[in-house]
Amino acid sequence: MTDNQPAITEEQISKAKLVWHFHQMHHDVGPVDVAIGLGSHDLGVAAFSAELYRAGLFPTLVFTGGNSPTTAKVFPRGEAVHFREHALALGVPDSAILVEPNAGNTGQNITLSREVLASAGITPKSMLLVSKPYMERRSFATARKLWPQVEVTCASEPWSSTTTSRASATRSSSSTCSSATSSALSSTRSSGSPSSSMSRRTYMPRTSPLSAPDSPADSSPHDLPAPGGLCAIHQPIFLPRLNTLARLFAADYWIVLDDVQFARRDYQHRARLASMSHPCRRQWLSIPTHLPHGRSTLIRDALLVDPERSRRRVMHMLAQHYGGSTDWPLFRQELDSVLDEFWRTDKTADVAEASTRMLLGLMGWKGRILYSSRLPARSER
């Protein structure tokens, strides 16, 4: 740091980390039909794609990307071509790689890769998008918009937000990507695409200490809290993962995002259970859900198909996976609040919210729960 550069404060670092983690999807990576390595200025994407291929997660790898002002000098033959060469050097067989050399943006990455796969006779049901960490959310939203038939997960090379060895080389491109990501998310939501998978957090100026109730509770528009505190906006999730719980637990308010489209490939009605003895062995626990308005059904309107059967299945599978834990007796006692929801309601979102509320309660969270569908909103942007 030179004398002309101001020192970075702890508050700035904290906020930068918040943005950094927001742009990542924090998905669990598992076997998929294909992977798509998104072109960028960094061969780390190609190297990480090769690592995941060698781990046996997919049989086919597509590299996509032409050139941009930030990569033309580094990769004169195009991003995808150079990525392929790097992956070959790392042991990925040529027969497993497809190249899409023309894409100039994330939308073209998805649509042109889809065409390349179709030309090769491949129609995947699931795919893994490999990118830079700050590109994950943008690529996920774009893929969901342009290729909704495919189950999408995201992965990126582990890269700390405080890493300095690459910071100077990527500063300008990173800021450009972050700006583009925010723009993409805004346009995706306004166009009516399934944005329920987006977890958003925002700061409100803290004006006074939060006066929280003894337990989480919802509020009507006439009982809104005074401005102040940290707010997390997230769709209801059934038995959420630790990283989701951590984001909610750190907030003073959880706004349940219930007025966006229900997405079957997300986690509003399902959770992935890991075996205690073999954590790599995972099994889906899903709640059968009916969408009365088809794909346009909002989260709050999705209905339980067979509440009693789902209730028994949830109890059975959780006991099967975690009944041997020393914490099971306490968890089992609190689980009744979730199981009772299957008798009380016909809405999947209510069960999902109850499961999150239970886990937050076990952690001692004293925040408040609000609902996006009940909050007053202005029509203008």
Side-chain angles (χ1 to χ4, degrees), residues 62-266:
V62 181
F63 285 123
T64 170
N67 264 327
S68 70
T70 60
T71 63
K73 292 183 179 180
V74 182
F75 303 133
R77 296 188 304 282
E79 298 161 8
V81 173
H82 283 267
F83 277 27
R84 169 186 171 273
E85 293 171 352
H86 193 59
L88 290 173
L90 294 174
V92 180
D94 188 38
S95 59
I97 301 177
L98 298 175
V99 173
E100 185 294 297
N102 299 312
N105 55 53
T106 309
Q108 292 176 2
N109 286 143
I110 302 301
T111 55
L112 297 181
S113 293
R114 184 178 184 177
E115 293 175 4
V116 168
L117 287 165
S119 297
I122 301 173
T123 306
K125 295 182 178 179
S126 60
M127 68 177 174
L128 176 66
L129 299 179
V130 186
S131 67
K132 302 306 298 175
Y134 53 78
M135 292 173 60
E136 282 193 25
R137 192 168 293 271
R138 173 178 59 175
S139 61
F140 179 80
T142 304
R144 286 288 306 277
K145 174 69 176 179
L146 299 178
W147 203 351
Q149 302 86 354
V150 176
E151 181 176 356
V152 181
T153 53
C154 295
S156 58
E157 179 186 12
W159 183 12
S160 169
S161 56
T162 57
T163 298
T164 58
S165 59
R166 299 179 182 176
S168 59
T170 62
R171 185 180 296 115
S172 60
S173 59
S174 295
S175 61
T176 301
C177 287
S178 295
S179 175
T181 301
S182 300
S183 175
L185 291 176
S186 175
S187 62
T188 299
R189 183 172 175 81
S190 64
S191 65
S193 66
S195 59
S196 60
S197 57
M198 305 304 166
S199 167
R200 294 166 291 147
R201 300 180 63 180
T202 181
Y203 279 99
M204 298 182 289
R206 186 178 295 276
T207 57
S208 63
L210 178 67
S211 176
D214 291 336
S215 61
D218 62 290
S219 296
S220 69
H222 305 291
D223 187 30
L224 296 178
L230 180 63
C231 173
I233 308 175
H234 204 295
Q235 73 272 29
I237 296 293
F238 180 57
L239 297 175
R241 294 171 293 179
L242 284 176
N243 52 16
T244 302
L245 279 176
R247 290 195 291 268
L248 297 179
F249 185 80
D252 301 306
Y253 304 99
W254 171 26
I255 297 181
V256 179
L257 190 63
D258 63 348
D259 56 351
V260 294
Q261 287 177 337
F262 182 95
R264 288 196 179 277
R265 294 188 179 93
D266 285 340

